[in-house]
Coordinates of all heavy atoms in Angstrom, one line a residue:
H23 N 138.0 129.1 28.7 CA 137.6 128.1 27.5 C 136.1 128.4 27.0 O 136.0 128.6 25.8 CB 137.6 126.6 28.1 CG 137.2 125.6 27.1 ND1 138.1 125.1 26.1 CD2 136.1 125.0 26.9 CE1 137.4 124.2 25.4 NE2 136.1 124.2 25.7
K24 N 135.2 128.5 27.9 CA 133.8 128.8 27.5 C 133.6 130.2 26.9 O 132.9 130.4 26.1 CB 132.9 128.5 28.7 CG 132.8 127.1 29.1 CD 131.9 126.9 30.3 CE 132.0 125.5 30.8 NZ 131.5 124.4 29.9
M25 N 134.4 131.1 27.4 CA 134.3 132.4 26.9 C 134.8 132.5 25.5 O 134.3 133.3 24.6 CB 135.3 133.3 27.8 CG 134.9 134.8 27.8 SD 133.4 135.1 28.6 CE 134.1 135.3 30.2
L27 N 134.5 130.1 23.3 CA 133.4 129.6 22.5 C 132.3 130.7 22.3 O 131.7 130.9 21.3 CB 132.8 128.3 23.1 CG 133.8 127.2 23.3 CD1 133.2 126.1 23.9 CD2 134.5 126.8 22.0
L28 N 132.0 131.4 23.4 CA 131.0 132.5 23.4 C 131.4 133.6 22.4 O 130.6 134.2 21.7 CB 130.8 133.1 24.7 CG 129.9 132.4 25.7 CD1 130.1 133.0 27.1 CD2 128.4 132.5 25.3
T33 N 129.2 130.9 16.6 CA 128.5 130.1 17.6 C 127.0 130.3 17.5 O 126.6 131.4 17.4 CB 129.0 130.5 19.1 OG1 130.4 130.2 19.1 CG2 128.2 129.8 20.1
S34 N 126.2 129.2 17.5 CA 124.7 129.3 17.3 C 124.0 129.9 18.5 O 124.6 130.0 19.6 CB 124.2 127.9 17.0 OG 124.2 127.2 18.2
A36 N 121.6 128.7 20.0 CA 121.4 127.7 21.1 C 122.6 127.5 21.9 O 122.5 127.4 23.2 CB 120.8 126.4 20.5
S37 N 123.7 127.5 21.3 CA 125.1 127.1 21.9 C 125.4 128.3 22.8 O 125.9 128.2 23.9 CB 126.2 126.9 21.0 OG 125.9 125.7 20.2
F38 N 125.2 129.6 22.3 CA 125.5 130.8 23.0 C 124.7 130.8 24.4 O 125.3 131.0 25.4 CB 125.2 132.0 22.3 CG 125.8 133.3 22.8 CD1 127.0 133.8 22.4 CD2 125.0 134.1 23.7 CE1 127.6 134.9 22.8 CE2 125.6 135.2 24.2 CZ 126.8 135.7 23.7
R39 N 123.4 130.5 24.3 CA 122.6 130.4 25.4 C 123.1 129.5 26.5 O 123.1 129.7 27.7 CB 121.2 130.1 25.0 CG 120.1 130.9 25.7 CD 118.7 130.6 25.0 NE 118.4 131.5 24.0 CZ 117.5 131.2 23.1 NH1 117.0 129.9 22.9 NH2 117.2 132.1 22.1
R40 N 123.4 128.2 26.0 CA 123.8 127.2 26.9 C 125.2 127.6 27.6 O 125.3 127.4 28.8 CB 124.0 125.9 26.1 CG 124.5 124.7 26.9 CD 124.6 123.4 26.1 NE 125.4 123.6 24.9 CZ 126.6 123.7 24.7 NH1 127.4 123.6 25.9 NH2 127.3 123.8 23.6
L41 N 126.1 128.1 26.7 CA 127.4 128.5 27.3 C 127.3 129.6 28.4 O 128.0 129.6 29.3 CB 128.3 129.0 26.1 CG 128.9 127.8 25.3 CD1 129.3 128.3 23.9 CD2 130.0 127.1 26.0
I42 N 126.5 130.6 28.0 CA 126.4 131.7 29.0 C 125.9 131.2 30.4 O 126.2 131.6 31.4 CB 125.6 132.9 28.3 CG1 125.9 134.2 29.1 CG2 124.1 132.7 28.4 CD1 125.4 135.4 28.4
R43 N 124.9 130.3 30.2 CA 124.3 129.6 31.5 C 125.5 128.9 32.2 O 125.5 129.1 33.5 CB 123.2 128.7 31.1 CG 122.3 128.3 32.2 CD 121.2 127.6 31.7 NE 120.2 127.3 32.7 CZ 118.9 127.5 32.6 NH1 118.4 128.0 31.5 NH2 118.1 127.2 33.6
E44 N 126.2 128.2 31.5 CA 127.3 127.4 32.2 C 128.4 128.4 32.8 O 128.8 128.2 33.9 CB 128.0 126.5 31.1 CG 127.2 125.3 30.7 CD 127.8 124.6 29.5 OE1 128.9 125.0 29.0 OE2 127.1 123.6 29.1
V45 N 128.7 129.4 32.0 CA 129.8 130.3 32.6 C 129.2 131.1 33.8 O 129.9 131.4 34.7 CB 130.2 131.4 31.5 CG1 131.0 132.4 32.1 CG2 130.8 130.7 30.3
S46 N 127.9 131.4 33.8 CA 127.4 132.2 34.9 C 127.3 131.3 36.2 O 127.6 131.8 37.2 CB 125.9 132.7 34.6 OG 125.1 131.7 34.3
L169 N 130.2 139.4 32.2 CA 131.0 138.4 31.5 C 132.3 139.1 31.0 O 133.4 138.6 31.1 CB 130.3 138.0 30.2 CG 129.4 136.8 30.1 CD1 129.0 136.6 28.7 CD2 130.1 135.6 30.7

Side-chain angles (χ1 to χ4, degrees):
H23 174 85
K24 290 178 190 295
M25 204 72 89
L27 304 178
L28 278 166
T33 296
S34 69
S37 299
F38 193 91
R39 221 176 264 154
R40 179 179 50 76
L41 284 160
I42 201 168
R43 194 172 186 133
E44 291 172 0
V45 174
S46 57
L169 267 188

